[in-house]
Amino acid sequence: CPGSSPSAGCIATKFIQLACGGAGLGLLAAIIVQLWVQQARFLHQSSLEITIVLLGVYGSFFVAELLHCSGVLAVVVYGIVFSARVWPFLSEEAQHAKHAVLNTVSYLCDKILFFIAGMISLRFI
């Protein structure tokens, strides 16, 4: 497909690679994180559990992008499977810490995004 006009077969192949590859990698990452969290829970370190969860989120995205699959779809599938299967395996301390950490990260990303948008829009005024 690269360097030539797109054909139906090429488009279908690329779609399957992006969609199924991203979803499959997200599912695989969630299963690996579930097994890892089950082992880490016995150490009674909620910070280790949170680190594993965050590594799963960012790792699934970057591995999917490295393999030319959909990183966003990998994270979405990871999140769905995490909510259904991994969340119950987190200790209570890790569940509370996950909320605190992700709320802080969300807040910081929101502020950075609006700061950057303001700086860019300032150029057009």
Side-chain angles (χ1 to χ4, degrees):
C1 197
S4 64
S5 61
S7 64
C10 178
I11 293 171
T13 303
K14 190 66 172 172
F15 175 77
I16 291 171
Q17 177 187 357
L18 286 171
C20 295
L25 285 170
L27 179 64
L28 180 65
I31 291 170
I32 291 170
V33 165
Q34 178 183 357
L35 296 173
W36 202 0
V37 164
Q38 286 174 335
Q39 297 299 317
R41 185 174 181 175
F42 293 114
L43 299 174
H44 302 292
Q45 293 181 346
S46 60
S47 60
L48 178 61
E49 293 177 58
I50 299 304
T51 303
I52 292 168
V53 169
L54 290 175
L55 181 66
V57 172
Y58 288 105
S60 64
F61 178 82
F62 287 116
V63 169
E65 289 293 324
L66 182 69
L67 297 175
H68 303 290
C69 298
S70 175
V72 173
L73 192 55
V75 172
V76 168
V77 171
Y78 173 86
I80 292 170
V81 175
F82 176 85
S83 296
R85 297 196 39 124
V86 181
W87 180 257
F89 291 106
L90 289 176
S91 63
E92 288 187 31
E93 297 86 20
Q95 289 178 2
H96 177 70
K98 180 191 135 321
H99 281 295
V101 168
L102 290 183
N103 283 341
T104 303
V105 169
S106 172
Y107 176 79
L108 290 173
C109 288
D110 182 55
K111 298 306 169 197
I112 290 170
L113 178 70
F114 279 100
F115 176 76
I116 291 171
M119 295 302 289
I120 291 173
S121 65
L122 185 64
R123 292 180 12 192
F124 297 107
I125 293 178

